[in-house]
Amino acid sequence: MMPFPISEATPVRFAGPLPDACDVVVIGGGVIGVMTAWNLAERGLRVTLCEKGRIAGEQSSRNWGWIRQQGRDFGELPIMMESLRHWKSLSQEFGEALGFRQEGVMYLARTEAEMAGFEAWRAEARSFGVDTEMQSAGQVAERIAGAATPWKGGLFTASDARAEPWVAVPLLAEGAQARGAVIVENCAVRALDIAGGRVTGVVTEQGRIACDQVVLAGGAWSALFARAHGVAIPQLSVRATVMATEPLPQVFAGNAADDAFAFRRRADGGYTLAPGAAHDFFIGPDAFRNFGLYLPVLKKDFRSTKFHPAAPSHYPDAWGTPRRWAADATSPFERMRVLNPEPSARIVADVCQSFAACFPHLGAPKLKAAWAGMIDTMPDVVPVVDRVAALPGLVLATGMSGHGFGIGPGFGRVIADLVAGNDTGHDLHRFRLTRFTDGSKIAPGPSL
C-alpha cells in the first residue's frame, strides 16, 4: 500500500524566511492555523505561521474529508454554515484541485432509537435554515445502490460536501502566502516570550519573533505547549484509523455513515472508509489529570473506545514526554515533527468486513492505503476558541474534536476577527476556556 502522502520526508514547500517581528504568530499549520493566517493577512496584519513539521502533516490531512453541517453542535452550526459558504468561494478560486463536491451527507440508522435521535437534531436545526431531511428506508435504498444492510432510514443534508484533505490544505496555505502571510515549515515554536505578564513574542528553533499576539492552533500538541506556560486545557487525543480503496463502482455520490462504518466517494474513483465510531485512546498523564471532566462523554460513548496503557515514545501525552523544557534546547515538538500513528489493523479489518457485508456485489474492498491521525478532543466534544485572560496576547484555537476540516475556513475568519478586535459575528460563549473551571455542567455535543 502507498505511504501517507505527507511526512517528515516531504520536501519543505514553505520556508519563510522567519521575520524578526510581526503582529501575530500562528502556531500550527493545520486547516485552523492556515485559515486564521489567511484571514489575518487579508486584514492587513503581519502574520507568521510556524509549523514544526509540514503543513497539514497531521490530522488536517488525515480526516475523512467531510464538510458537514449535519449533526453539528448547535454552538458550531452557524459557523459551519458560514464555513460552507467559504468553501464554495474557495472552490471558485482553486478549481477542481480542492476536490470540493457538494453531494450531501447521509446518516444511516439501524434502529428506531437512532431515527429518533436524528429527528430530534433535525427538529432543532430547522430554526437555523439547514436543508436537512429525514429519509425513509425506501428513500435510503433509492439513494444508496445495492446495499444489503436493512437500514430503518436516515438523515440527509443535500448541501453538505467533501474535499480532498491532503491536497486542499496545502493549497489553502499557498492562498494564505499569496495574501501576505509568512509560512515557515520545520520551525517549531519552543516557547512564548513573556514580559510584564503578557506575550511579547515567541522563541522558535530558528530564532525569536517579536509579536503582540499568538494564536495556538497546535492540534494534538496544544495542551502540552499551553501547560508549559501555566495554561491548563483539558484536551486529550484519540487515534482515528482511515483507509482508501482502489477505484470501485459508485454506490453513493456523497458521504454516508452508520454505527459500523463510514464512506465517501473520492476523486480517484475509490472510497475513503472509516469506522462509524470506533477509535483508540492511549492513557497518559493528561488522561488521569482530566478524568473527571471526561466522565460524561465516557458514559455516553465508552464502548467505542479501545484503551491502551501507553502511547508510543514522543507522543504529546506519552509517559516519557517532557512537560518542561528550556527555550534554548530541543523541544518535544522537534522530536516528533509529524505525528504519524500506525493505523489499527483490527479496525481496518472490521471496516472492510462491514463494507463487504453491506455491498456484497462489490466484495471485500482492495485497499490502496491505510493511515491514522490523532484527533484533539475536548470533554464536551466542542473546541476552545478564546482569549486567555491570565496571559494577555494568547488566543486558543484547539480541541476541534474531529470537526476541524470542514469548519476550518469559518473558524479561521472568526479567529482572525477575534485577534483583530473586530466583531466575530457569532456567539463564542460555547467555546470559552473557563467553561471547565467556572462550575458549568459539561454538556457533550450531539454524538451524531
Side-chain angles (χ1 to χ4, degrees), residues 66-88 100 102-107 121-122 125-126 128-132 155-162 255 403 406-407 446 448:
W66 292 27
I67 299 170
R68 66 172 176 88
Q69 304 156 101
Q70 183 167 296
R72 290 273 177 178
D73 183 272
F74 293 113
E76 289 184 340
L77 185 55
I79 300 174
M80 183 58 230
M81 295 174 73
E82 176 188 336
S83 195
L84 182 59
R85 296 194 295 271
H86 292 312
W87 275 109
K88 292 179 186 178
F100 179 82
Q102 205 167 3
E103 293 177 311
V105 162
M106 175 83 79
Y107 283 171
W121 186 90
R122 188 197 68 86
R126 273 188 305 189
F128 293 85
V130 184
D131 60 325
T132 303
L155 188 71
F156 183 63
T157 305
S159 62
D160 280 350
R162 68 175 187 266
N255 318 323
H403 309 159
I407 207 170
L448 296 183

Side-chain angles (χ1 to χ4, degrees), residues 75 123 211 214 233 254 280 283 310 361 364 367 384:
C211 65
V214 171
I233 309 172
D280 295 90
I283 298 169
H361 64 289
L367 300 183
V384 171

Side-chain angles (χ1 to χ4, degrees), residues 74-430:
F74 293 113
E76 289 184 340
L77 185 55
I79 300 174
M80 183 58 230
M81 295 174 73
E82 176 188 336
S83 195
L84 182 59
R85 296 194 295 271
H86 292 312
W87 275 109
K88 292 179 186 178
S89 176
L90 292 167
S91 71
Q92 293 175 359
E93 177 171 343
F94 292 101
E96 290 292 324
L98 282 183
F100 179 82
R101 300 292 295 272
Q102 205 167 3
E103 293 177 311
V105 162
M106 175 83 79
Y107 283 171
L108 299 158
R110 294 174 184 255
T111 67
E112 293 297 342
E114 288 176 309
M115 287 292 283
F118 293 169
E119 173 56 30
W121 186 90
R122 188 197 68 86
E124 190 168 348
R126 273 188 305 189
S127 64
F128 293 85
V130 184
D131 60 325
T132 303
E133 299 177 347
M134 294 296 292
Q135 302 284 287
S136 67
Q139 288 171 312
V140 168
E142 288 177 6
R143 291 189 184 275
I144 301 180
T149 303
W151 291 305
K152 299 288 186 181
L155 188 71
F156 183 63
T157 305
S159 62
D160 280 350
R162 68 175 187 266
E164 296 295 340
W166 62 62
V167 178
V169 180
L171 279 177
L172 298 177
E174 290 180 5
Q177 183 175 255
R179 284 159 174 78
V182 175
I183 301 179
V184 194
E185 293 179 311
N186 238 41
C187 183
V189 175
R190 291 173 171 173
L192 300 175
D193 196 3
I194 300 170
R198 66 163 296 116
V199 171
T200 58
V202 299
V203 180
T204 81
E205 63 180 293
Q206 296 185 25
R208 181 181 183 272
I209 309 172
C211 65
D212 295 323
Q213 298 195 77
V214 171
V215 176
L216 178 56
W221 300 91
S222 293
L224 179 65
F225 183 92
R227 182 167 287 278
H229 297 86
V231 178
I233 309 172
Q235 177 180 293
L236 300 176
S237 298
V238 296
R239 182 179 69 175
T241 294
V242 190
M243 59 221 77
T245 75
E246 296 286 356
L248 288 168
Q250 180 169 298
V251 294
F252 181 54
N255 318 323
D258 68 6
D259 59 353
F261 72 105
F263 62 100
R264 76 156 173 92
R265 190 70 167 163
R266 299 175 55 82
D268 62 10
Y271 283 90
T272 291
L273 304 181
H279 50 260
D280 295 90
F281 179 71
F282 300 108
I283 298 169
D286 284 346
F288 283 93
R289 183 180 291 116
N290 299 311
F291 178 75
L293 289 171
Y294 279 84
L295 272 176
V297 75
L298 279 172
K299 291 176 180 177
K300 190 175 181 181
D301 196 27
F302 184 82
R303 287 180 295 178
S304 65
T305 304
K306 180 175 176 59
F307 294 89
H308 303 266
S313 296
H314 305 306
Y315 276 42
D317 197 31
W319 291 102
T321 296
R323 266 57 190 175
R324 293 286 186 273
W325 53 89
D328 60 355
T330 301
S331 69
F333 316 112
E334 295 148 79
R335 292 190 173 94
M336 179 67 76
R337 293 282 182 189
V338 176
L339 188 53
N340 183 27
E342 286 291 321
S344 164
R346 171 186 59 86
I347 287 177
V348 169
D350 287 349
V351 169
C352 288
Q353 183 177 18
S354 294
F355 185 84
C358 182
F359 301 108
H361 64 289
L362 299 181
K366 183 178 180 182
L367 300 183
K368 64 188 297 184
W371 64 89
M374 298 300 291
I375 295 176
D376 49 313
T377 191
M378 302 301 298
D380 48 10
V381 206
V382 293
V384 171
V385 176
D386 198 6
R387 290 187 174 276
V388 178
L391 188 48
L394 179 60
V395 174
L396 303 178
T398 193
M400 293 294 150
S401 303
H403 309 159
F405 179 69
I407 207 170
F411 257 134
R413 198 279 304 160
V414 166
I415 296 160
D417 279 327
L418 179 65
V419 169
N422 301 331
D423 182 1
T424 64
H426 296 288
D427 181 359
L428 302 185
H429 183 75
R430 175 73 161 134

Side-chain angles (χ1 to χ4, degrees), residues 11-70:
V12 169
R13 296 170 61 176
F14 303 92
L18 198 75
D20 294 328
C22 65
D23 297 314
V24 187
V25 169
V26 176
I27 301 174
V31 67
I32 300 297
V34 164
M35 293 311 299
T36 298
W38 172 305
N39 282 276
L40 287 167
E42 282 196 329
R43 282 148 186 75
L45 293 169
R46 297 174 301 154
V47 56
T48 302
L49 187 157
C50 295
E51 164 54 47
K52 66 183 176 63
R54 300 294 181 272
I55 291 294
E58 299 190 359
Q59 185 55 24
S60 283
S61 62
R62 297 163 184 267
N63 59 82
W64 298 1
W66 292 27
I67 299 170
R68 66 172 176 88
Q69 304 156 101
Q70 183 167 296

